[in-house]
C-alpha cells in the first residue's frame, strides 16, 4: 500500500466525512439524471463511470479503521424514500441487458451463478446511500460514516462491484465487436434462482452472525 493511500486513510475524520458525503451525493444525483433516459445510448458508459467512482469511495471506507457511532442505537431517520420509480426507469432503459449472471460469494467453492438485475442493484445502492445521507444531513456524522462503511462491506459494495462487472462486460462486448449470446435463459423471477440466492444468503448470515454470537447452525 502506498504512503499516499495510508495517509489518506488516516485523514482528519471531518475532512474525510465531507469528501465521502460529496462523492455519495454526486453519485445519487448523477444516477437519478441517467435514469431520466434523456441520453439512452450513453446510459451504460455513464453508469460504468459513476459506479467506478463510487467504488473508489467505498474502497476508502473499507480501508479506514472501523467507525463507531456516538449512540448505541441508531436514531430513526424516518421513512425510506421510494426507489421503485427509479428501479422501473432503469429496467426500461436497460432492457434487454438488465439481467446478468453473478456469483453470490466468490470464496464459496462451486457456488452456482445467480441471475441479477442492474436496475435492482442501482435501487439497492441508492437506498443504502440515502440512509446514511439522512444521518449526515441531520448532523450525525459518525452515524453516517458507520452506516456507509458497514453497508459498503455488507451490501452496497458487493452489489456495486457486481453491477460494475456487468457494465464493463457490456462495454467490452460493444467496443470489441463481440455480440452477446442469447439472454433468454436468464431470469431473476425463476423459483430456482430465488432459492439459490436465499440459500447463499443464509450461509453468509450464519458465518458472519451465528459464529460470533456463539450460535450453532441448524
Amino acid at each position: 500500500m502506498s504512503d499516499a493511500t495510508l495517509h489518506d486513510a488516516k485523514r482528519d475524520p471531518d475532512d474525510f466525512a465531507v469528501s465521502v458525503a460529496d462523492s455519495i451525493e454526486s453519485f445519487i444525483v448523477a444516477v437519478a439524471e441517467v435514469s431520466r433516459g434523456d441520453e439512452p445510448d450513453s446510459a451504460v458508459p455513464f453508469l460504468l463511470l459513476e459506479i467506478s467512482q463510487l467504488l473508489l469511495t467505498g474502497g476508502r471506507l473499507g480501508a479506514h479503521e472501523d467507525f463507531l457511532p456516538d449512540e448505541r442505537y441508531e436514531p430513526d431517520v424516518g421513512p425510506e424514500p421510494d426507489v421503485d420509480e427509479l428501479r422501473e426507469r432503469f429496467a426500461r432503459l436497460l432492457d434487454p441487458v438488465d439481467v446478468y449472471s453473478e456469483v453470490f460469494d466468490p470464496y464459496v467453492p462451486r457456488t452456482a451463478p445467480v441471475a441479477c438485475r442492474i436496475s435492482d442493484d442501482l435501487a439497492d445502492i441508492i437506498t443504502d446511500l440515502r440512509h446514511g445521507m439522512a444521518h449526515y444531513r441531520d448532523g450525525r456524522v459518525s452515524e453516517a460514516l458507520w452506516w456507509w462503511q458497514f453497508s459498503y462491506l455488507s451490501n452496497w459494495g458487493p452489489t456495486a462491484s457486481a453491477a460494475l462487472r456487468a457494465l464493463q462486460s457490456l462495454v467490452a462486448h460493444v467496443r470489441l465487436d463481440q455480440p452477446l449470446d442469447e439472454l433468454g435463459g436468464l431470469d431473476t423471477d425463476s423459483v430456482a434462482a430465488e432459492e439459490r440466492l436465499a440459500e447463499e444468503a443464509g450461509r453468509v448470515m450464519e458465518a458472519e452472525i451465528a459464529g460470533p454470537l456463539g450460535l450453532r447452525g441448524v
Side-chain angles (χ1 to χ4, degrees), residues 108 118 176:
V108 175
I118 299 174
L176 300 178

Side-chain angles (χ1 to χ4, degrees), residues 32-180:
E33 191 67 22
V34 174
S35 74
R36 294 173 55 187
D38 294 338
E39 299 182 43
D41 293 341
S42 302
V44 167
F46 277 156
L47 290 173
L48 177 68
L49 176 61
E50 293 299 332
I51 294 180
S52 296
Q53 292 175 334
L54 177 67
L55 282 171
L56 174 59
T57 297
R60 295 174 65 203
L61 286 164
H64 204 287
E65 61 187 18
D66 289 349
F67 290 104
L68 295 176
D70 293 332
E71 302 179 40
R72 181 177 180 182
Y73 299 104
E74 182 182 6
D76 184 15
V77 296
E80 299 285 355
D82 188 11
V83 294
D84 284 344
E85 183 180 352
L86 181 139
R87 187 196 317 271
E88 291 168 2
R89 288 203 300 263
F90 273 119
R92 292 192 296 268
L93 184 62
L94 297 172
D95 184 60
V97 296
D98 189 25
V99 181
Y100 67 97
S101 181
E102 170 64 8
V103 174
F104 188 77
D105 186 341
Y107 281 99
V108 175
R110 297 177 296 279
T111 301
V114 296
C116 304
R117 292 182 185 273
I118 299 174
S119 55
D120 288 343
D121 293 344
L122 292 168
D124 290 346
I125 294 167
I126 292 292
T127 297
D128 277 347
L129 298 181
R130 282 178 175 173
H131 186 86
M133 187 61 71
H135 285 303
Y136 184 81
R137 287 172 175 164
D138 285 344
R140 295 184 292 272
V141 176
S142 62
E143 187 76 42
L145 288 172
W146 174 85
W147 172 258
W148 283 327
Q149 184 183 62
F150 167 76
S151 57
Y152 163 73
L153 296 172
S154 63
N155 189 44
W156 72 258
T159 300
S161 297
L164 181 68
R165 286 193 293 273
L167 292 165
Q168 190 276 336
S169 179
L170 286 173
V171 171
H173 276 285
V174 172
R175 299 290 173 80
L176 300 178
D177 195 21
Q178 297 175 346
L180 288 168

Side-chain angles (χ1 to χ4, degrees), residues 101-102 104 110-116 185-188 190-203:
S101 181
E102 170 64 8
F104 188 77
R110 297 177 296 279
T111 301
V114 296
C116 304
L186 282 177
D187 185 5
T188 59
S190 70
V191 174
E194 290 182 358
E195 289 179 347
R196 285 198 304 270
L197 184 59
E199 183 179 351
E200 294 295 342
R203 290 199 191 104

